[in-house]
Amino acid sequence: MKVKDPVCGMEIEAAAAAETRELRGKTFYFCSASCAEKFDKDPEAYAGTSGEGPEPGAHGGHAGHGEHKGHAGHGGMAHGEHKGHGGHDHHAHHAQMVADFRRRFWVSLGLTVPILLLSPLVQRFLGLPEALAFPGAPYLQLALASAVYFYGGWPFLKGMWEELGKRQPGMMTLIALAISVAYIYSAAVVLGLRGQVFFWELATLIDVMLLGHWIEMRSVMGASKALEELARLMPSTAHLMVNGAVKDVPIEALKPGDRVLVKPGEKIPVDGVVIEGRTTVNESMLTGESRPVEKGEGDEVIGGAINGESAITVEVKRTGDETYLAQVIDLVRKAQEARSKTQDLANRAALWLTLIAIGGGTATLLGWLGAGKEFNFALTRMVTVMVIACPHALGLAIPLVVSVSTAIAARRGFLIRDRTAFERARGLQAVVFDKTGTLTLGQFGVTDVVALSDLPEEEVLRLAAAVESRSEHPIATGIVAAARERGIDLPEPQDVKAIPGRGVEGKLDGEAIQVVSPSYLAEQGHDPDDPRVKELSAQGKTVVYLLVGGKPVGAIALADMIRPESREAVERLKAMGIKVLMLTGDAEEVAKWVAGELGLDDYFAQVLPHEKAEVIKKVKAQGLTVAMVGDGVNDAPALVEADVGIAIGAGTDVAIESADIVLVRNDPRDIAAVIGLARATYGKMVQNLGWATGYNSFAIPLAAGALYPVGVVLSPALGAALMALSTVIVAINARLLKG
């Protein structure tokens, strides 16, 4: 049942609600704890909406541009804040912020053109006619600059107050300080103070800072729909059995003790116990178990798993928040909301530059006044220092590299959803892979054929594949595929039918042929004591037997096939000094076999989803920076818990939406490529920041008048030219980034 969060307006499944509240006999559903807390503070404001909820931002503090969390820092939105609130309205609001920066940039750029044309320095440089220098030009410049300052500079001014309110001055404080000093001083000069205006420097500085934020935010914007995608795994209706009749009802109407019919190929609607029928169930999307699991009377089944070849009757045991899938949803939500904010390099550099700008500007003013210089000279030196302390280059040092690296990544099939996590990837010390569908293909393949009679192995495979050719079961698919790969012609079987939960049988040239499970073989009184088969079973492989005329004549071992690329991926990561581990819900024997084949450093087997997140925590507790690579719903909590979550693109949507980086291809070798790109990107960031801050160490003393005694004074115009040069150098260096 779809319901609407009354606080943020998000539509969610009732069963997936984080919290509920009762008021005047009505139930209200909330997507997250934060929405529930807002409701508690003022229930009447939201209850009056009849559950429809106000527009996002009406009460939640999202309406104002600068009120969005993470905005204060140059990096825009922090990872945890971007994904925390269930990931729904943050995406829409972030898109609004990107559009707002874009709009402010173009408007400010349009206003900057006449400001430049009215600047005497630009007029002389371009050789423009003196007619542009009419008497009212300074006042027109002031009017245009005021519009740029208050409209284009508003995000930075608001961001400064937010940073100062948190006692965390950063890029926003530095930008706002520079543009405010330039604007106030220049306005004072137009209104009578002796000095030189900084209008064109002010306007271009705001333009470039707006462009930098726009580029950066657009490159990292992504929608986090993990909780919605998880909820969609559950069917909306169930076949309820009442007095021998079947009635379709919403799953919300089910209660413990009810009995539901699950047809072949359908999703099991709730957690329960099989009370009638026998089948195989595909739980790989939920538990990581690659093999279809046999289910009969008394066996538990999980809501969201896919029923196999036979209809079963299930008695409901758990509903709503108690179901397995609901608990996975809760784990993902909590892990997302608990993720901490990581400031980027530019913010850390900005903090120091803010202190330098304030201290240097004040020291310059007081120093020249103490030296006996007139106030106008001292003030001009101070303003020059304050403007130069925030160069255009620093504003673009990180965003330009991010933009270039994001483009390179997209061309190579990597989708970077979280920039700070991508930056952390450069320092990864351990990579934990999910097995099924990541290191392996997620599909059965034949690994061994054992002859238990005088029939050759190829004949064993031919007979088994012929009977299995009529079945869609994963084991049948694997056997048929193996026969075709070996070029074996398959005869046409007759009278083929399934042995529910046990195998398949048919006839070839009038002779009975069966392909069955070991349990069926035991039921028929057969016990082929073959050490080769025992060894295959000990490796965790699935073994089926071929019976001809009721007698076992051969065995076929199948396993989740290892990807051909996985061995090279492991070798590359180890060469980079990174530990490679595996995490799986599969059996111990299966995990041990795969780990041995690939030469992994360690593995964790029979791990359920909630335990997967705990295992990642334990690996992190060893002091390692950890990446989790997976593709299934069962990986979602672990993907979010890891320092870097990487999803295989062909996996489920929830895994993708829970990850920081998505690989479009099913190629684990791309993990090493992502880390390599992250390291190269970080190197370019350091180079650009080194240039930008190095420029300051050179330009600020000159702006303050350090060489004045020898007749060298850095004018505001020359300072602006140096700023432009530094920006060009940073831009060229960013473009030189190679993936």
Side-chain angles (χ1 to χ4, degrees):
M1 180 178 67
K2 287 281 187 180
V3 294
K4 185 172 285 189
D5 185 320
V7 175
C8 66
M10 175 189 179
E11 280 196 356
I12 56 175
E13 293 286 345
E19 294 190 24
T20 60
R21 296 288 187 272
E22 297 289 336
L23 183 65
R24 295 195 298 272
K26 183 175 181 179
T27 302
F28 293 87
Y29 300 84
F30 302 94
C31 68
S32 67
S34 57
C35 276
E37 290 172 5
K38 291 173 185 175
F39 181 88
D40 291 339
K41 292 177 181 177
D42 190 6
E44 296 300 328
Y46 301 104
T49 62
S50 300
E52 290 303 312
E55 288 298 316
H59 296 276
H62 297 300
H65 168 78
E67 293 171 356
H68 191 281
K69 290 183 179 180
H71 167 66
H74 176 67
M77 185 184 305
H79 173 74
E81 294 162 341
H82 171 63
K83 291 169 53 169
H85 195 292
H88 56 285
D89 54 336
H90 284 278
H91 172 58
H93 186 68
H94 195 43
Q96 292 173 7
M97 290 179 65
V98 172
D100 185 67
F101 269 110
R102 180 177 65 245
R103 182 170 55 252
R104 290 178 189 272
F105 166 72
W106 287 115
V107 171
S108 299
L109 183 63
L111 294 171
T112 299
V113 173
I115 292 175
L116 289 171
L117 294 177
L118 291 170
S119 300
L121 178 67
V122 176
Q123 290 174 6
R124 289 195 297 272
F125 179 77
L126 298 178
L128 297 175
E130 296 182 2
L132 288 174
F134 57 92
Y139 296 100
L140 179 57
Q141 268 194 309
L142 174 59
L144 293 169
S146 297
V148 173
Y149 173 72
F150 287 108
Y151 179 72
W154 175 248
F156 311 113
L157 298 172
K158 186 156 188 148
M160 176 184 70
W161 290 115
E162 291 177 351
E163 288 183 346
L164 295 178
K166 298 175 183 176
R167 298 182 180 179
Q168 295 177 344
M171 178 64 79
M172 291 294 183
T173 301
L174 186 54
I175 297 171
L177 193 62
I179 63 176
S180 295
V181 169
Y183 174 73
I184 294 171
Y185 174 73
S186 300
V189 170
V190 171
L191 298 177
L193 183 72
R194 288 179 55 200
Q196 187 173 359
V197 297
F198 290 87
F199 285 137
W200 79 268
E201 293 93 337
L202 161 73
T204 55
L205 179 60
I206 290 175
D207 291 344
V208 173
M209 291 303 172
L210 286 172
L211 177 62
H213 278 66
W214 174 25
I215 291 173
E216 180 182 23
M217 293 175 67
R218 186 179 62 177
S219 69
V220 301
M221 186 175 72
S224 292
K225 305 173 184 176
L227 303 182
E228 296 175 48
E229 297 296 341
L230 276 168
R232 286 182 192 150
L233 285 177
M234 293 297 286
S236 58
T237 61
H239 308 307
L240 178 64
M241 302 181 71
V242 182
N243 298 324
V246 177
K247 176 183 177 183
D248 287 350
V249 299
I251 60 170
E252 293 80 14
L254 298 177
K255 58 184 183 298
D258 284 345
R259 296 186 174 189
V260 295
L261 175 68
V262 186
K263 300 176 182 178
E266 290 185 339
K267 290 181 179 178
I268 298 171
V270 289
D271 293 4
V273 175
V274 178
I275 60 172
E276 185 179 332
R278 176 169 290 276
T279 188
T280 55
V281 174
N282 183 350
E283 297 179 342
S284 62
M285 304 293 280
L286 296 160
T287 67
E289 173 62 58
S290 59
R291 295 175 294 185
V293 182
E294 288 188 15
K295 299 291 183 180
E297 293 183 14
D299 292 330
E300 291 192 357
V301 289
I302 301 172
I306 301 173
N307 185 24
E309 66 278 358
S310 301
I312 54 174
T313 302
V314 175
E315 182 176 315
V316 178
K317 291 297 182 184
R318 291 180 295 275
T319 60
D321 293 341
E322 297 178 353
T323 63
Y324 182 90
L325 187 56
Q327 292 175 37
V328 173
I329 291 172
D330 188 55
L331 281 169
V332 174
R333 179 189 298 110
K334 287 179 179 177
Q336 288 180 340
E337 291 178 348
R339 190 183 286 276
S340 62
K341 177 179 179 180
T342 303
Q343 285 192 324
D344 59 31
L345 290 169
N347 274 338
R348 292 193 288 273
L351 173 60
W352 286 103
L353 283 177
T354 301
L355 300 176
I356 292 171
I358 296 173
T362 303
T364 299
L365 176 67
L366 297 178
W368 284 114
L369 289 176
K373 286 293 182 178
E374 60 185 29
F375 179 76
N376 181 60
F377 178 86
L379 185 61
T380 301
R381 294 295 95 217
M382 185 195 78
V383 171
T384 305
V385 168
M386 300 290 272
V387 172
I388 282 180
C390 185
H392 299 59
L394 183 60
L396 289 177
I398 298 299
L400 280 176
V401 176
V402 169
S403 181
V404 173
S405 66
T406 303
I408 291 173
R411 288 196 298 269
R412 299 186 63 179
F414 318 146
L415 175 60
I416 299 171
R417 299 187 62 252
D418 185 275
R419 176 173 56 80
T420 55
F422 175 65
E423 290 174 7
R424 286 196 296 273
R426 69 182 174 84
L428 285 174
Q429 297 164 300
V431 174
V432 182
F433 283 94
D434 169 56
K435 180 185 75 68
T436 307
T438 305
L439 289 176
T440 64
L441 294 171
Q443 61 190 38
F444 276 111
V446 172
T447 60
D448 305 87
V449 178
V450 179
L452 301 176
S453 66
D454 56 358
L455 281 181
E457 292 180 0
E458 187 168 298
E459 182 64 11
V460 170
L461 184 59
R462 186 182 77 91
L463 295 176
V467 176
E468 293 281 21
S469 63
R470 297 293 184 86
S471 173
E472 296 298 326
H473 193 283
I475 290 177
T477 303
I479 292 175
V480 173
R484 287 175 176 162
E485 285 173 7
R486 302 186 189 190
I488 298 174
D489 292 326
L490 302 183
E492 190 70 24
Q494 297 86 38
D495 301 330
V496 177
K497 59 182 179 180
I499 306 173
R502 293 289 193 270
V504 65
E505 62 184 357
K507 290 183 178 180
L508 284 172
D509 299 326
E511 192 164 28
I513 306 293
Q514 296 173 308
V515 180
V516 299
S517 65
S519 59
Y520 180 86
L521 197 67
E523 290 174 4
Q524 301 304 309
H526 295 291
D527 184 20
D529 187 15
D530 190 293
R532 295 170 297 171
V533 177
K534 287 185 176 180
E535 175 61 25
L536 295 173
S537 297
Q539 294 175 359
K541 297 178 180 179
T542 297
V543 176
V544 294
Y545 289 90
L546 173 68
L547 277 61
V548 177
K551 295 181 180 180
V553 296
I556 299 174
L558 302 97
D560 187 5
M561 301 299 288
I562 295 174
R563 288 186 182 279
E565 308 88 0
S566 294
R567 289 180 176 82
E568 187 178 344
V570 173
E571 291 172 0
R572 289 185 185 180
L573 289 171
K574 285 189 171 184
M576 298 171 81
I578 297 171
K579 294 181 66 176
V580 186
L581 304 91
M582 182 178 70
L583 191 60
T584 178
D586 235 333
E588 170 75 21
E589 298 83 358
V590 176
K592 183 177 180 180
W593 174 69
V594 174
E597 288 288 309
L598 294 176
L600 303 181
D601 293 299
D602 201 357
Y603 66 90
F604 305 90
Q606 294 178 306
V607 184
L608 295 175
H610 61 283
E611 296 170 335
K612 286 190 175 186
E614 289 300 318
V615 169
I616 295 297
K617 285 183 181 179
K618 289 178 183 177
V619 178
K620 289 168 65 177
Q622 298 175 19
L624 300 174
T625 303
V626 182
M628 172 68 192
V629 185
D631 74 331
V633 175
N634 57 296
D635 303 316
L639 286 171
V640 182
E641 182 59 47
D643 295 300
V644 183
I646 305 176
I648 294 291
T652 66
D653 289 339
V654 65
I656 292 173
E657 295 295 344
S658 300
D660 304 308
I661 301 169
V662 175
L663 306 183
V664 176
R665 300 185 303 170
N666 277 325
D667 191 341
R669 293 176 298 185
D670 285 343
I671 305 298
V674 165
I675 297 172
L677 179 60
R679 291 178 177 180
T681 299
Y682 180 78
K684 283 297 179 185
M685 288 180 177
V686 170
Q687 291 171 16
N688 276 0
L689 287 175
W691 170 259
T693 53
Y695 154 84
N696 276 273
S697 65
F698 165 76
I700 289 177
L702 287 182
L707 298 181
Y708 180 76
V710 296
V712 178
V713 179
L714 183 64
S715 68
L718 184 56
L722 287 175
M723 277 197 286
L725 178 62
S726 67
T727 303
V728 171
I729 292 174
V730 164
I732 292 174
N733 190 48
R735 298 301 303 180
L736 293 176
L737 175 65
K738 302 294 182 183

